[in-house]
């Protein structure tokens, strides 16, 4: 959704013919018989690059609560169930865009990486775009499993995430991990 809560596009998680994960994106389109446009670049241009759960993100930044950034919607939703403001970018690792950082100006940010090389690289890219934008950046990884979802499904808490050595241009400041309810 946009910052006002209006639907801009959807990411649909499913399975492909071989049983692997598949993510399709669509935008409401009243001119199309199906009611959807499946080519976001053609339908939306740059409007397709909005962070997930944008109204909650904007409110969290305004209130000064930590904003957690995960690699995907499933992870962000799991974090949100623990009571924190959580977001991600559409498309997963490698799809974070510098314009996402503008929404996090002055925010205290926690970036959760997935436990693979694309996840490590993604976390570093996000951290670099937040240098000089966010008030603080903390890099963490799951203590169990491959991502935030697995960590939480294992019964672990926000405090159980393990700290990661930070990027030199995105050194975190010291602040507590606080559980807040949106």
């Amino acid at each position: 959704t946009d910052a006002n809560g209006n639907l801009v596009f959807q990411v649909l998680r499913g399975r492909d013919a071989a049983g692997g994960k598949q993510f399709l994106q669509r935008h409401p389109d009243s001119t199309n018989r199906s009611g959807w446009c499946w080519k976001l670049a053609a339908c939306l241009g740059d409007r397709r690059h909005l962070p997930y759960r944008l109204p909650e993100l904007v409110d969290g930044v305004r209130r000064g609560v930590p904003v957690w950034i995960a690699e995907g919607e499933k992870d962000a939703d799991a974090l949100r169930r623990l009571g924190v403001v959580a977001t991600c970018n559409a498309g997963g690792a490698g799809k974070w865009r510098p314009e996402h950082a503008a929404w996090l100006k002055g925010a205290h940010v926690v970036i959760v990486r997935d436990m693979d090389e694309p996840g490590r690289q993604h976390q570093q890219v996000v951290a670099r775009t937040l240098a000089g934008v966010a008030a603080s950046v903390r890099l963490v990884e799951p203590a169990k499993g491959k991502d935030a979802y697995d960590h939480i499904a294992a019964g672990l808490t926000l405090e159980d995430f393990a700290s990661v050595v930070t990027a030199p241009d995105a050194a975190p400041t010291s602040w507590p991990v606080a559980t807040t309810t949106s």
Side-chain angles (χ1 to χ4, degrees):
T1 60
D2 64 18
N4 297 317
N6 300 309
L7 178 63
V8 177
F9 67 95
Q10 294 178 328
V11 176
L12 307 172
R13 180 187 180 112
R15 296 277 175 201
D16 62 19
K21 289 188 284 189
Q22 180 179 28
F23 299 92
L24 301 172
Q25 298 177 0
R26 66 184 185 178
H27 163 69
D29 180 0
S30 61
T31 66
N32 189 316
R33 261 187 333 158
S34 72
W36 298 100
C37 173
W38 293 88
K39 296 179 181 170
L40 292 191
C43 298
L44 297 175
D46 284 337
R47 289 189 310 140
R48 72 185 187 278
H49 301 296
L50 296 174
Y52 183 51
R53 298 192 172 278
L54 185 55
E56 293 173 27
L57 184 158
V58 169
D59 182 59
V61 172
R62 181 189 55 75
R63 291 185 294 123
V65 301
V67 175
W68 290 66
I69 301 175
E71 191 173 304
E73 294 88 358
K74 183 177 176 182
D75 298 312
D77 288 343
L79 288 162
R80 186 173 176 266
R81 285 190 294 276
L82 293 181
V84 298
V85 174
T87 190
C88 65
N89 56 275
K95 302 292 193 287
W96 180 267
R97 298 175 60 96
E99 54 266 34
H100 290 118
W103 294 103
L104 295 153
K105 184 171 179 57
H108 296 287
V109 178
V110 182
I111 308 169
V112 183
R113 79 176 208 183
D114 278 15
M115 298 299 288
D116 55 17
E117 186 56 25
R120 187 195 67 73
Q121 290 177 9
H122 181 74
Q123 185 184 58
Q124 293 297 310
V125 166
V126 174
R128 279 193 295 279
T129 67
L130 293 173
V133 176
S136 66
V137 175
R138 181 171 172 229
L139 306 181
V140 300
E141 65 187 19
K144 194 167 210 174
K146 75 169 210 61
D147 56 23
Y149 179 86
D150 289 348
H151 173 96
I152 294 163
L156 299 174
T157 68
L158 297 173
E159 292 78 12
D160 294 325
F161 279 98
S163 290
V164 173
V165 175
T166 60
D169 57 352
T173 58
S174 179
W175 55 277
V177 175
T179 304
T180 59
T181 303
S182 298

